Amino acid sequence: MHTIAATTQRRRRPTVGVIAGWQFYGTMLTMSYLSPIYQGIRQAAYDLGCNLLLACGMGPSGQINEPLRPAWFDVIEDTDFVPVGPWNTHGLIIINPLQRPERSQAVQATRASGHPVIFVGSGERGPTIVADNVGGIYAALRHIVEHGHRQIAFIAGSQTDLEGDSGDRLRAFQAAMVEFGLPIDPRLIVFGRHVFTGGYEAMHRLLATGVPFTAVLASNDESAIGAITALREAGKQVPHDIAIIGFDDRIEGLLQEPALTTVRIPLFKLGYQALELMVRHIREREPLPELVQVPTRLIVRESCGCSQSAVLADTLEMIAHHPTEPTVTNLPAQAAQAMSTMLAPKMHGFTASEVSRLCQQLITAFRQSVQSARSVAFRTELAQVLKQVAAAGDDTHDWQIAISFLRDLVPRMFDPTLQPLAFELLDEARVTTSAAMRWQYWQYFNRQQQTNNRVGRLTARLLHTLAESDIYEILAHHLPELNIPLLWIGFFEAEDSDSVAWCRLRAVTASQQPVVRIRSRAFPPRQWLPTRQSFQLALIPLGGTGSEAGFVTFDASRLDLYGTITQQINAALNTARLYRAASEGQRLAEEANQLKSRFLSMVSHELQTPLNLIVGMSDLLLREITQSGNPLPSSIRDDLKRIYANARHLGRLISDVLDLASSDAGQLRLNCEIVDLGEVMRVVADAGR
């Protein structure tokens, strides 16, 4: 029965885990390469109705060159364990490169055990979905050559990733150079590790060689941006002195001055398709393909030498559509299909069928308004479409593509007498779309302001909190204001040699739930999960060692915020631990001080009794000798005097100790008496003889 239930669950709502070979957060912001991949995976999971566990690593520092430290499913060096692995998923999506051989070995062992795994990016044995690295590098190099460049340098990725994307792009560069009849100078090939500082250092090494070059092709955008920074510091202008092309099409490149020409990888599509393939494999036993290549495309901007700003490049991309020409016999349906084909890759909040439906409705309303000479239907439908697009978080500006496409179809769609009205409606639609985009911007700006203010209030309260219980209360109060419905915090507990065998899990945003202790690899607890709908959870490590190591779990809807909030939680918990340790230390010190005072008081009283006897007896002897008239030898009499004086001195010292003990207890009594300094000095002199 258990096997049947598990099979039914797998086919109905399978759980897929996602793990990357480096951190998702670095540290306050999402790493932009992983972010669209995760978005694509999330959208596919929503569309297909499956569960999702996202392992989101947190960088150990705020430095731009911080080490790569992924959230991982095993306890190994330079990783942070989170409970996302083969034991609580039906399949895993692994994003390459994995950076270390021990990580690769762990994943391959998982594959060998029969657990389904699909890789995003090349570098590992097994089913893989990857961008067309060869086609992208070839297109970029051809563009550089068309600008007249012959001495071209290459900033490769990582030397530890020669079986992955780094190696694929390096070999593609070398092959394309040969095809174009250009010499390959080994001194002009350097490695930049696909990071900003790596690209920066690589460019300095290229300049230091003294080998002339006029263009650079970088294996990714981040190293290209680092190289541009190094060139600027060296007094070189891009592209006037040296042209540069990147690879990835990250948003940072779009915002560069000059804007970075790059090869676009459809990262959202990579993630979406990886999840889609995995779910089909789990539900329908469809074999995972060994290799799926997703096309890349050269995005021409300014850094290559073309005079296309980021704005102009975006405009040209919108108007340079080349759909299949629809036939007159079935013009509306084919036009809707062609429009959907152009828009679907940009509409991440909709399925392809939903985009197709929106296009059909828009074309139908457009035809109806033109033919009836009444613009209400088209205006209303366009407003509804733009409203839905904005609500889904997509860019309303992209629907300018639809308007341009409709404008091209007007001569084939309407009689000449109706065409002026059609063009007039489309001109109005452009203004409407621009207004919708402006409204969307103000909505975004307003939400960001509110979010910043609320995060600021949360931060301020956490900074002044010293008790762990207060931290949980503050989070439970403020997170709903940020539209964060779920936060669980777990701390690991060891069992034998397994340091993460168990975890104590607290549902912070559901304070009525008791703290549970579960097997870490049995996460998530079933009693906390929805029974009739799928879940998407993001797991982020909490820094610490031993009993302080743990993780936080959020609903995956606000990945952009969770890095900041996790840092605040981590800092607040560390402060609470330090305060608790300091308070415990103070308590122990106070107890030790009290024990010391009691000890001194007891010992002092024990010493005073024999001392009083010595003082009294020596005083009696001295008086008796003086009164009897039978003097003792002077040496004996002097010894008795010293015994008497030193005993009294020691008695006063013991009294001082008792006074100090009384002072610690807040009971010190001060007596105002006349002090005979001569007597004091005589005692000192006698004691020193």
Side-chain angles (χ1 to χ4, degrees):
M1 291 296 292
H2 176 74
T3 303
I4 295 174
T7 302
T8 302
Q9 171 66 16
R10 181 181 68 241
R11 292 181 176 176
R12 187 165 58 95
R13 278 206 303 268
T15 299
V16 178
V18 183
I19 300 172
W22 65 101
Q23 62 265 32
F24 185 82
Y25 295 102
T27 55
M28 299 290 282
L29 302 175
T30 56
M31 305 289 278
S32 62
Y33 182 87
L34 287 177
S35 184
I37 295 177
Y38 275 47
Q39 288 175 9
I41 291 171
R42 286 191 57 239
Q43 185 62 47
Y46 176 80
D47 294 342
L48 299 174
C50 69
N51 301 322
L52 202 57
L53 294 176
L54 300 172
C56 301
M58 172 68 78
S61 70
Q63 302 301 315
I64 197 167
N65 60 339
E66 64 184 4
L68 302 176
R69 190 178 183 90
W72 200 247
F73 64 92
D74 204 358
V75 182
I76 57 177
E77 187 179 2
D78 293 328
T79 64
D80 293 307
F81 176 83
V82 293
V84 178
W87 8 264
N88 63 350
T89 63
H90 299 106
L92 288 172
I93 297 174
I94 306 292
I95 303 174
N96 286 325
L98 301 183
Q99 314 293 344
R100 294 289 187 88
E102 55 268 27
R103 298 174 195 165
S104 177
Q105 292 164 9
V107 173
Q108 292 300 333
T110 299
R111 285 190 63 237
S113 69
H115 197 74
V117 174
I118 187 169
F119 297 99
V120 175
S122 59
E124 292 290 330
R125 298 189 315 275
T128 302
I129 180 168
V130 64
D132 181 10
N133 290 316
V134 174
I137 291 292
Y138 184 88
L141 191 60
R142 181 178 60 191
H143 188 73
I144 290 175
V145 171
E146 288 172 351
H147 273 279
H149 297 285
R150 293 295 179 268
Q151 296 164 308
I152 304 169
F154 186 71
I155 299 178
S158 174
Q159 288 177 293
T160 61
D161 184 39
L162 292 180
E163 297 302 316
D165 287 336
S166 295
D168 289 348
R169 294 172 192 176
L170 173 58
R171 288 185 289 272
F173 169 78
Q174 293 169 329
M177 289 285 284
V178 171
E179 184 171 336
F180 288 117
L182 300 177
I184 301 174
D185 190 332
R187 294 171 296 177
L188 294 182
I189 297 177
V190 292
F191 289 88
R193 307 189 313 278
H194 280 168
V195 296
F196 176 90
T197 51
Y200 178 88
E201 294 163 359
M203 179 53 68
H204 277 297
R205 291 198 299 273
L206 286 172
L207 294 173
T209 63
V211 180
F213 61 94
T214 60
V216 176
L217 178 55
S219 184
N220 80 331
D221 283 356
E222 194 169 346
S223 55
I225 294 169
I228 290 174
T229 303
L231 285 171
R232 189 178 297 121
E233 291 179 1
K236 305 286 187 181
Q237 293 184 356
V238 176
H240 179 72
D241 296 319
I242 295 177
I244 291 188
I245 293 182
F247 203 106
D248 285 345
D249 193 24
R250 293 173 61 143
I251 192 169
E252 298 95 328
L254 176 67
L255 301 176
Q256 282 292 304
E257 286 290 342
L260 182 65
T261 295
T262 185
V263 176
R264 174 174 293 170
I265 299 177
L267 297 173
F268 182 93
K269 185 176 181 179
L270 282 177
Y272 193 102
Q273 198 164 346
L275 193 284
E276 197 173 32
L277 291 170
M278 178 59 72
V279 170
R280 285 211 299 263
H281 172 73
I282 295 169
R283 284 178 173 163
E284 304 166 19
R285 296 299 183 185
E286 184 176 315
L288 290 170
E290 279 302 306
L291 181 64
V292 176
Q293 279 198 336
V294 177
T296 55
R297 187 157 58 93
L298 182 67
I299 304 298
V300 177
R301 298 189 182 113
E302 294 174 296
S303 66
C304 60
C306 294
S307 57
Q308 291 185 189
S309 67
V311 174
L312 178 58
D314 187 53
T315 303
L316 292 175
E317 182 186 355
M318 285 197 163
I319 63 177
H321 48 75
H322 301 284
T324 303
E325 286 292 330
T327 60
V328 177
T329 55
N330 195 16
L331 185 62
Q334 291 194 14
Q337 181 60 42
M339 186 188 296
S340 174
T341 300
M342 290 184 293
L343 284 169
K346 297 177 177 292
M347 297 294 105
H348 297 163
F350 299 90
T351 63
S353 60
E354 288 172 338
V355 175
S356 178
R357 176 178 53 79
L358 292 177
C359 292
Q360 289 172 2
Q361 292 172 353
L362 192 64
I363 290 176
T364 300
F366 178 58
R367 286 168 57 86
Q368 179 183 340
S369 290
V370 173
Q371 291 170 351
S372 65
R374 299 180 63 184
S375 59
V376 175
F378 182 58
R379 286 175 176 171
T380 302
E381 186 60 39
L382 179 61
Q384 286 296 322
V385 168
L386 295 175
K387 184 177 181 180
Q388 291 180 59
V389 170
D394 287 326
D395 192 348
T396 55
H397 180 60
D398 288 330
W399 282 79
Q400 295 280 10
I401 296 174
I403 297 170
S404 297
F405 180 61
L406 286 176
R407 192 176 187 87
D408 290 345
L409 289 180
V410 165
R412 303 178 60 197
M413 192 177 288
F414 302 109
D415 294 332
T417 57
L418 297 178
Q419 290 178 16
L421 176 59
F423 287 129
E424 182 181 335
L425 282 176
L426 292 175
D427 289 340
E428 180 185 306
R430 287 201 184 279
V431 176
T432 301
T433 305
S434 296
M437 183 178 63
R438 184 173 59 182
W439 177 85
Q440 188 178 20
Y441 166 76
W442 283 112
Q443 283 282 93
Y444 173 80
F445 179 79
N446 182 57
R447 283 197 301 268
Q448 285 298 107
Q449 287 289 96
Q450 290 181 347
T451 298
N452 292 340
N453 291 337
R454 289 165 180 168
V455 170
R457 288 197 297 270
L458 172 63
T459 302
R461 291 204 61 190
L462 289 176
L463 282 174
H464 294 88
T465 302
L466 298 176
E468 187 172 332
S469 58
D470 292 341
I471 294 173
Y472 301 137
E473 290 180 7
I474 291 169
L475 290 169
H477 175 75
H478 284 277
L479 291 185
E481 295 179 355
L482 291 164
N483 295 319
I484 298 175
L486 182 148
L487 170 62
W488 304 340
I489 298 180
F491 294 101
F492 296 120
E493 294 179 356
E495 181 180 77
D496 299 329
S497 60
D498 187 357
S499 60
V500 295
W502 295 86
C503 73
R504 289 176 292 105
L505 201 60
R506 178 188 298 271
V508 175
T509 48
S511 54
Q512 72 278 7
Q513 294 281 5
V515 176
V516 298
R517 184 175 183 267
I518 63 170
R519 287 280 182 184
S520 297
R521 293 169 181 84
F523 179 91
R526 291 185 179 181
Q527 64 270 30
W528 290 2
L529 296 174
T531 56
R532 298 184 178 275
Q533 63 187 43
S534 58
F535 61 81
Q536 294 188 9
L537 301 178
L539 287 77
I540 307 172
L542 279 177
T545 57
S547 61
E548 297 176 359
F551 64 99
V552 295
T553 303
F554 294 97
D555 170 83
S557 59
R558 296 298 305 273
L559 290 178
D560 58 318
L561 274 182
Y562 298 153
T564 301
I565 293 174
T566 300
Q567 278 199 319
Q568 302 298 339
I569 294 172
N570 206 11
L573 289 173
N574 283 336
T575 300
R577 292 188 192 107
L578 291 173
Y579 177 75
R580 187 167 61 243
S583 299
E584 180 66 12
Q586 182 180 4
R587 184 186 65 80
L588 293 174
E590 289 174 350
E591 287 184 359
N593 191 50
Q594 291 173 359
L595 289 172
K596 176 206 70 176
S597 299
R598 286 198 293 269
F599 172 77
L600 289 175
S601 177
M602 180 182 68
V603 171
S604 299
H605 282 295
E606 292 296 326
L607 289 175
Q608 271 191 324
T609 300
L611 274 175
N612 288 337
L613 179 61
I614 293 170
V615 170
M617 292 299 294
S618 58
D619 183 45
L620 286 174
L621 283 172
L622 288 172
R623 289 183 182 182
E624 185 176 338
I625 291 169
T626 303
Q627 294 173 0
S628 65
N630 296 319
L632 291 172
S634 60
S635 60
I636 296 176
R637 188 172 61 251
D638 292 342
D639 287 341
L640 279 174
K641 287 181 179 180
R642 278 195 290 271
I643 290 171
Y644 175 72
N646 287 330
R648 289 191 63 190
H649 180 62
L650 184 57
R652 285 193 292 270
L653 289 176
I654 292 173
S655 296
D656 290 342
V657 170
L658 288 173
D659 288 341
L660 289 174
S662 299
S663 175
D664 290 342
Q667 298 175 354
L668 179 64
R669 293 185 298 274
L670 299 178
N671 296 321
C672 184
E673 296 180 354
I674 297 174
V675 177
D676 186 348
L677 288 178
E679 179 65 23
V680 172
M681 297 307 295
R682 277 194 297 273
V683 171
V684 173
D686 290 342
R689 289 175 183 171

